[in-house]
Amino acid sequence: MVEEGLERHKPLIDREICMLAGLAFLLPFVLPYKSLPAEILIYALGAVSFNILLGYTGMLSFGQGALFGMGAYTTGLLLIHLGWHPLATLVCASLSGAITALVVGLFSIQRIGLYFVMLTLAFNQLVFFIAYQLKGLTGGDDGLLDVPRPNLSIFPGLQIPLQTNLQFFLFIWIVFIGCIIVIRRILCSPFGRVLVAIKENPERAVAVGYNIQYYKLTAFIISGLFTGLAGGLYALFMKMVPITAVELVTSTDFIIMSLLGGLGSLYGPIIGAVVVKIASEILSEIWARWLLVLGLTFIVFMLFMKEGIWGLITAALEKLKVNLSGKVEKS
Amino acid sequence: MILRTVGLTKHFGGLTAVNKVDLSVEEGTIHSIIGPNGAGKTTLFNMLTGEIPVSDGEIYFQGKKITGLKPHQIAKAGIGRSFQQNRLFNNLTVLENVRLAVHAHHKGHFSLLRHFRAFSRPVEKAREILEELGIAGIAAKKAGELPHGQQRILEVALALAADPVLLLLDEPTSGMSPDDSVKMIRLLKELGKRLTILIIEHNMNLVMSISSVITVLHQGEIIASGSPSEIENNEEVNRAYLGEHTRC
């Protein structure tokens, strides 16, 4: 890879993906909290989708909560009122996330830097207030209650149950790994490399002939597609849609997970989601003010370990490799 | 004539940075634009590349009007540019820098679901450019970690990626050591054999040794245009620019 200066071709499924799938599969067997593993993967998907914008394209969006919430409401409402097949509602959740992202993106990418950030934040607040006001539709402050989680009927006669924690986890796990495979491919595609170029130097990206507005908008739509899907899964998971799903706090959750895990890779935000979710579960039992601990950890990471947890892991692995090869040479 | 401007003008508020400039660049020449600081050289350049809108006048490239086109459209039309300050993809390797620039003009640059290595033509082309400029040896280095002189050459490499017929170079030797400047001059002479090059430059050595035509800009207007020897002997130019230059 280094010798020739270009990343090698990666097949869709390789050792990396298998390792990720294996590790993610272990979650319900090592964690004492029964419903947490599914929630972790849902948030991990949201954080990875967010990182397409920040880590790869250099756009800090505070609007991800709006996309997540739109996905959640779409799945919730379609299940409650129309009784659609869960998979169909998830497709619609992705589409509503993508369409919301198209609108937010279309306006926000007209500006860069601080103004871009403020526009995404304003859109998130806008969607939140609409959801809050439409009490008849969304349940407003109380949340959208009684979302059913029916079994998946694949053929007439073949039903896949989603009722127990483990059954539901397996379903989420399959969707999650599928999404990661697709997202990883997108990030290694010519399109994905242009996103990195935009992050590195937007003026140069334009000067060499890329219409970067198209690329930025498409990045938004892709992020919306997967964030909306994560939102839809969340509605199935919670069997309701709390108003917090569409609030700014969801946006900041994804931001904190990504930054803590590390922006530089696909896997950082996943690790961030795992760590934040497990820590919050453990700490909230011990101390009501646990967010303080999370905040302090976040500050320490931002000041001293900007590469995040993934950065620490890769650095440690590098060291180990060097040590091992050194020992081999000696012996 | 490959590039022609008619009455090209740029106002910044009350200030006229470029005033009714009629510039003609002949195909196959190395054409330099010189002038004292504030003469409007970079403003003129930025209008040619679409970075800033023109206030008045037209730009024709290969007979077609390109006034008002966006920078990426002008790049696609066949005009490559380098910047005065290095603008590279610093955290990417030299080869990836050039591949990205090349791929913008090849099939599949918007492809989402195929790995970028599935497209081999841009990679080959990028390697050819590095070979031509003599920087193939540093293909795997990160652009941001190169010494300044090599970064300037990479700037030119990126400008070449689009297979341009016209190359616009904004002070290609700025900040370069004398040794590196000599290398760059040799390189530009070589490129001048197959391309039309328009250069903005302060470095008199470079201008006099490689230009076939020199245009002198002073206070936003063209005061002279001709061969290096004609410009050297032009009194008005000496007063406006060269005199000033020798004084300091």
Side-chain angles (χ1 to χ4, degrees):
Chain A
M1 185 188 105
V2 187
E3 311 86 74
E4 55 167 358
L6 274 189
E7 212 177 283
R8 278 214 206 95
H9 188 281
K10 278 183 189 166
L12 271 181
I13 297 171
D14 59 3
R15 222 172 52 182
E16 236 173 76
I17 291 289
C18 292
M19 270 179 70
L20 175 72
L23 288 173
F25 191 79
L26 289 179
L27 283 174
F29 304 103
V30 294
L31 288 177
Y33 310 98
K34 292 301 160 222
S35 67
L36 192 61
E39 192 182 359
I40 287 176
L41 294 191
I42 291 169
Y43 270 86
L45 179 58
V48 168
S49 312
F50 162 76
N51 200 36
I52 296 174
L53 299 181
L54 182 60
Y56 285 84
T57 324
M59 301 192 287
L60 173 56
S61 162
F62 273 85
Q64 300 303 101
L67 315 178
F68 189 81
M70 286 300 280
Y73 283 126
T74 303
T75 287
L77 290 169
L78 289 175
L79 282 171
I80 292 172
H81 298 295
L82 300 176
W84 281 16
H85 192 286
L87 293 181
T89 71
L90 289 175
V91 170
C92 292
S94 304
L95 291 178
S96 83
I99 292 166
T100 313
L102 170 71
V103 176
V104 176
L106 204 56
F107 288 96
S108 304
I109 61 168
Q110 305 304 322
R111 294 286 172 269
I112 54 170
L114 185 60
Y115 302 97
F116 167 84
V117 174
M118 294 315 285
L119 277 167
T120 61
L121 196 140
F123 269 108
N124 204 117
Q125 292 302 80
L126 184 72
V127 174
F128 164 69
F129 276 111
I130 292 172
Y132 185 81
Q133 292 295 334
L134 290 178
K135 217 171 160 47
L137 190 66
T138 65
D141 215 5
D142 303 329
L144 181 66
L145 302 175
D146 301 322
V147 175
R149 192 203 289 168
N151 292 338
L152 292 181
S153 52
I154 304 295
F155 302 106
L158 177 63
Q159 297 251 332
I160 296 177
L162 298 179
Q163 304 317 319
T164 70
N165 280 319
L166 191 60
Q167 287 165 348
F168 188 66
F169 172 79
L170 286 176
F171 170 63
I172 298 283
W173 178 76
I174 291 168
V175 176
F176 173 75
I177 296 299
C179 289
I180 293 299
I181 290 172
V182 175
I183 291 172
R184 188 178 74 141
R185 173 46 65 87
I186 291 173
L187 292 173
C188 290
S189 70
F191 167 82
R193 301 303 299 171
V194 176
L195 297 188
V196 177
I198 292 171
K199 178 191 169 194
E200 286 287 314
N201 199 324
E203 294 96 342
R204 174 56 90 174
V206 172
V208 298
Y210 291 110
N211 183 355
I212 64 171
Q213 297 302 74
Y214 273 130
Y215 287 83
K216 284 184 179 179
L217 189 59
T218 309
F220 248 104
I221 294 169
I222 291 167
S223 180
L225 200 70
F226 290 104
T227 309
L229 176 59
L233 294 171
Y234 189 66
L236 280 176
F237 166 73
M238 295 289 283
K239 297 185 178 163
M240 69 168 292
V241 182
I243 188 85
T244 50
V246 73
E247 256 181 284
L248 196 58
V249 64
T250 302
S251 304
T252 52
D253 275 349
F254 294 144
I255 296 174
I256 288 174
M257 286 169 183
S258 298
L259 283 167
L260 208 57
L263 298 174
S265 83
L266 179 64
Y267 305 107
I270 301 176
I271 302 220
V274 173
V275 170
V276 170
K277 279 288 158 195
I278 293 176
S280 65
E281 198 75 19
I282 296 172
L283 291 172
S284 61
E285 276 175 17
I286 302 172
W287 190 32
R289 305 267 177 274
W290 64 275
L291 271 172
L292 198 67
V293 180
L294 185 65
L296 283 173
T297 318
F298 185 68
I299 291 169
V300 170
F301 264 86
M302 286 310 96
L303 284 176
F304 304 109
M305 288 164 273
K306 263 179 21 198
E307 309 291 305
I309 301 170
W310 181 252
L312 293 181
I313 294 174
T314 45
L317 287 177
E318 269 314 297
K319 229 178 190 173
L320 197 71
K321 225 191 231 167
V322 171
N323 280 348
L324 283 179
S325 64
K327 267 176 201 152
V328 169
E329 270 166 37
K330 265 180 215 162
S331 65
Chain B
M1 210 177 307
I2 191 161
L3 183 79
R4 189 162 63 93
T5 72
V6 181
L8 199 60
T9 301
K10 180 71 193 179
H11 306 291
F12 291 113
L15 178 89
T16 303
V18 173
N19 193 12
K20 299 194 187 99
V21 164
D22 299 321
L23 178 75
S24 302
V25 179
E26 293 293 334
E27 195 156 359
T29 57
I30 297 185
H31 190 137
S32 297
I33 300 178
I34 61 170
N37 279 329
K41 302 186 296 289
T42 297
T43 306
L44 174 63
F45 225 59
N46 286 338
M47 283 193 283
L48 296 179
T49 57
E51 306 266 306
I52 58 173
V54 308
S55 302
D56 201 13
E58 301 290 353
I59 308 165
Y60 299 91
F61 174 61
Q62 294 181 315
K64 275 183 233 135
K65 201 167 87 173
I66 58 163
T67 330
L69 290 187
K70 301 242 167 63
H72 68 92
Q73 293 169 320
I74 290 179
K76 284 231 148 79
I79 301 182
R81 78 161 298 177
S82 77
F83 292 92
Q84 187 182 345
Q85 307 284 333
N86 293 331
R87 289 191 192 174
L88 307 168
F89 307 122
N90 280 333
N91 285 311
L92 305 180
T93 64
V94 169
L95 183 58
E96 177 66 346
N97 265 266
V98 183
R99 186 205 61 86
L100 271 164
V102 172
H103 209 152
H105 309 278
H106 280 76
K107 263 194 217 145
H109 63 266
F110 211 93
S111 170
L112 287 164
L113 293 176
R114 294 182 65 187
H115 196 283
F116 79 94
R117 290 301 298 268
F119 301 88
S120 56
R121 185 65 199 121
V123 181
E124 288 162 20
K125 181 85 208 300
R127 283 189 206 283
E128 285 166 24
I129 292 173
L130 294 184
E131 290 287 345
E132 184 181 14
L133 299 189
I135 51 172
I138 53 167
K141 289 225 170 100
K142 277 190 181 174
E145 292 166 1
L146 299 177
H148 182 77
Q150 289 180 337
Q151 288 188 338
R152 293 307 291 163
I153 295 179
L154 182 54
E155 271 285 324
V156 177
L158 293 179
L160 281 174
D163 248 333
V165 280
L166 174 64
L167 202 56
L168 303 185
L169 303 177
D170 194 349
E171 295 197 27
T173 62
S174 81
M176 271 186 149
S177 68
D179 280 359
D180 284 343
S181 291
V182 172
K183 267 186 219 157
M184 181 65 90
I185 290 171
R186 210 178 299 140
L187 197 69
L188 294 181
K189 273 186 181 158
E190 205 51 45
L191 287 173
K193 289 178 188 162
R194 65 176 183 89
L195 293 168
T196 310
I197 306 181
L198 180 64
I199 303 179
I200 292 185
E201 189 52 73
H202 274 304
N203 182 338
M204 271 300 149
N205 259 340
L206 177 119
V207 171
M208 290 299 167
S209 69
I210 71 171
S211 310
S212 28
V213 185
I214 297 176
T215 296
V216 186
L217 215 56
H218 183 51
Q219 293 175 349
E221 292 177 29
I222 293 178
I223 56 169
S225 205
S227 69
S229 59
E230 281 167 8
I231 294 299
E232 234 175 346
N233 300 321
N234 184 308
E235 264 182 40
E236 199 181 351
V237 173
N238 278 316
R239 238 181 294 123
Y241 181 69
L242 297 175
E244 205 177 84
H245 192 78
T246 44
R247 258 208 314 279
C248 53

